[in-house]
Amino acid sequence: MAAAALTREGGEDAFRRLFRFYRQRDASDLRGVVDFSAPGGQVFRSQLSISSVSDQDAYRAGLQPVSQWKAYGLSGYPGFIFIPNPFLPGCQRHWVKQCLKLYPEKPNVCNLDLHMAPEKTTDLWGQSKEQLRRKGSSKWEPRSLLEKLRWVTLGYHYNWDTKKYSANHHTPFPSDLAFLSEQVAAACGFRGFQAQAGILNYYHFDSSLGIHVDESELDHSRPLLSFSFGQSSIFLLGGLKREEAPTAMFMHSGDIMVMSGFSRLLYHAVPRVLPNPEGTALPSCLDQALSADLPVGSVIEHSSDEDWQVCAKYLQSSRINMTIRQVLAEGQKFPEESGTNGKGQAPSEDSYHENSKAKRHKPNTV
């Protein structure tokens, strides 16, 4: 296969060659992509810490009991854990709604803040929902503000100029997302994980994410958690150097990736967003209704039919990814810095994404 031949070539641009391969190939030629729904080859079952998360806490986070999860590792990537959709029926809808309706709101930071007055970005959902609901299939229709959203940062806001976090640019981290992250981290053996920073990525069918490493956090001993919702994508996981050829894998709606240990500082990228492989507008897991009886203390909220109609319309051509990380170790503080504004503003709207017209792919922070 062509992808296998590119992998064997190695050399300085091995990652870039495969990135371009999967960026440009037809969806029918993806035989070299690892599919965790049918594991085999370099894929093996990974053990979880079942006793670290009570069934009640899992339910409160919208997750199945950990004993029912399936978790996988990849040969050659110690510390990498892949968990195919462990969410309870209907619970993915909560996180999609939060990412579109609540998390983009102030005081959180988004790419639209770079070139729009603050009053123009205070209610992206309210300004977009009717336009999204009426949206047809034409590529020539004007995009709503929500469709122009590329990233949102939570908690400690990443400074795109200095490539650092700082103590003076921080807003409260969402409590529901922190609870979800803590349960997933604990199930993977990282009890006491603190969700301190999050970056939400909003992808469309022409979007990609360049080759990069997540190394700006001061504490690399804690894992990076990645949650995916909506359309599928190809994820490339490489090595400690860019010349090492990556492994390609599918990420589907509800899937969770955990990068820890050796895999925490590996190069990775998203070259491609793919239509739902089931052939329907949305994955069947997003069609499931939320149970009427939520457990006491649940962080999951029921979505109105009206809100979900807007979310579903958005997801027909989009994918949302949440990456959560702990920035500081217990008791650790940020070093004193001088000459920085701490604003965390990105230099350009698409510093996070690269669309089909981009001529080169820069490393970015996921």
Side-chain angles (χ1 to χ4, degrees), residues 1 30 83 153 172 175 177 217 223 297 322 357-358:
M1 293 187 298
L30 299 175
I83 306 169
T153 54
S175 59
L177 185 51
E217 295 73 34
M322 310 188 302
K357 297 179 181 179

Side-chain angles (χ1 to χ4, degrees), residues 130-144 147-148 313:
E130 290 304 324
Q131 186 177 350
L132 265 173
R133 189 180 288 112
R134 297 192 305 267
K135 192 173 183 64
S137 58
S138 172
K139 295 181 179 179
W140 308 112
E141 290 184 59
R143 292 184 302 165
S144 65
E147 291 171 295
K148 295 179 181 179
K313 179 68 76 168

Side-chain angles (χ1 to χ4, degrees), residues 3-23:
L6 287 171
T7 300
R8 287 194 297 271
E9 283 185 27
E12 181 180 359
D13 295 321
F15 203 130
R16 185 181 298 276
R17 284 199 302 272
L18 277 168
F19 185 100
R20 289 174 174 167
F21 175 86
Y22 286 114
R23 179 87 181 123

Side-chain angles (χ1 to χ4, degrees), residues 57-353:
D57 281 344
Y59 290 143
R60 289 175 58 206
L63 299 165
Q64 301 173 29
V66 178
S67 60
Q68 297 180 20
W69 298 9
K70 293 180 180 179
Y72 301 97
L74 281 174
S75 298
Y77 297 96
F80 176 79
I81 303 173
F82 192 101
I83 306 169
N85 183 17
F87 289 93
L88 290 167
C91 289
Q92 287 189 53
R93 292 187 176 191
H94 169 84
W95 303 109
V96 171
K97 184 190 71 173
Q98 298 295 78
C99 287
L100 291 175
K101 186 174 183 179
L102 182 64
Y103 297 158
E105 292 299 293
K106 298 294 169 282
N108 299 328
V109 181
C110 73
N111 63 291
L112 299 180
D113 297 326
L114 306 179
H115 53 83
M116 295 179 66
E119 62 270 17
K120 298 290 187 180
T121 62
T122 55
D123 185 15
L124 301 181
W125 175 268
Q127 296 183 68
S128 304
K129 61 181 182 179
E130 290 304 324
Q131 186 177 350
L132 265 173
R133 189 180 288 112
R134 297 192 305 267
K135 192 173 183 64
S137 58
S138 172
K139 295 181 179 179
W140 308 112
E141 290 184 59
R143 292 184 302 165
S144 65
L145 286 178
L146 274 180
E147 291 171 295
K148 295 179 181 179
L149 200 58
R150 291 294 176 267
W151 52 261
V152 169
T153 54
L154 312 170
Y156 287 114
H157 300 282
Y158 185 73
N159 187 312
W160 305 89
D161 297 321
T162 65
K163 300 187 184 304
K164 296 179 180 179
Y165 300 94
S166 64
N168 62 350
H169 195 220
H170 174 269
T171 55
F173 195 93
S175 59
D176 58 347
L177 185 51
F179 186 76
L180 169 69
S181 303
E182 289 159 9
Q183 308 318 307
V184 172
C188 294
F190 295 94
R191 298 186 74 166
F193 175 84
Q194 299 176 46
Q196 296 174 336
I199 300 180
L200 316 180
N201 277 340
Y202 301 82
Y203 296 88
H204 306 294
F205 283 135
D206 63 347
S207 300
S208 63
L209 182 65
I211 305 165
H212 67 283
V213 175
D214 293 302
E215 58 185 359
S216 297
E217 295 73 34
L218 275 66
D219 179 20
H220 295 153
S221 69
R222 311 302 274 171
L224 184 146
L225 313 179
S226 176
F227 302 85
S228 188
F229 304 106
Q231 301 300 322
S232 299
S233 70
I234 294 176
F235 179 80
L236 299 180
L237 182 61
L240 294 171
K241 300 179 180 179
R242 286 174 66 108
E243 53 263 32
E244 297 180 49
T247 295
M249 61 196 80
F250 290 113
M251 281 199 77
H252 302 304
S253 192
D255 290 349
I256 301 173
M257 288 193 313
V258 179
M259 296 171 67
S260 67
F262 172 81
S263 295
R264 177 65 177 78
L265 296 175
L266 298 183
Y267 279 98
H268 53 279
V270 178
R272 189 97 171 267
V273 176
L274 300 167
N276 167 33
E278 298 171 341
T280 52
L282 290 180
S284 57
C285 60
L286 290 172
D287 290 335
Q288 298 171 312
L290 186 64
S291 169
D293 297 322
L294 294 174
V296 175
S298 175
V299 301
I300 302 298
E301 300 174 346
H302 285 278
S303 298
S304 68
D305 290 341
E306 178 185 5
D307 281 356
W308 180 244
Q309 287 174 10
V310 177
C311 293
K313 179 68 76 168
Y314 177 90
L315 288 183
Q316 286 180 8
S317 60
S318 305
R319 168 182 177 254
I320 298 173
N321 180 255
M322 310 188 302
T323 59
I324 314 301
R325 67 285 311 274
Q326 179 171 332
V327 177
L328 301 168
E330 186 76 28
Q332 190 176 19
K333 296 182 179 180
F334 288 101
E336 292 293 331
E337 295 185 41
S338 60
T340 60
N341 58 19
K343 293 297 184 182
Q345 299 299 321
S348 66
E349 176 174 328
D350 276 330
S351 64
Y352 228 53
H353 290 273

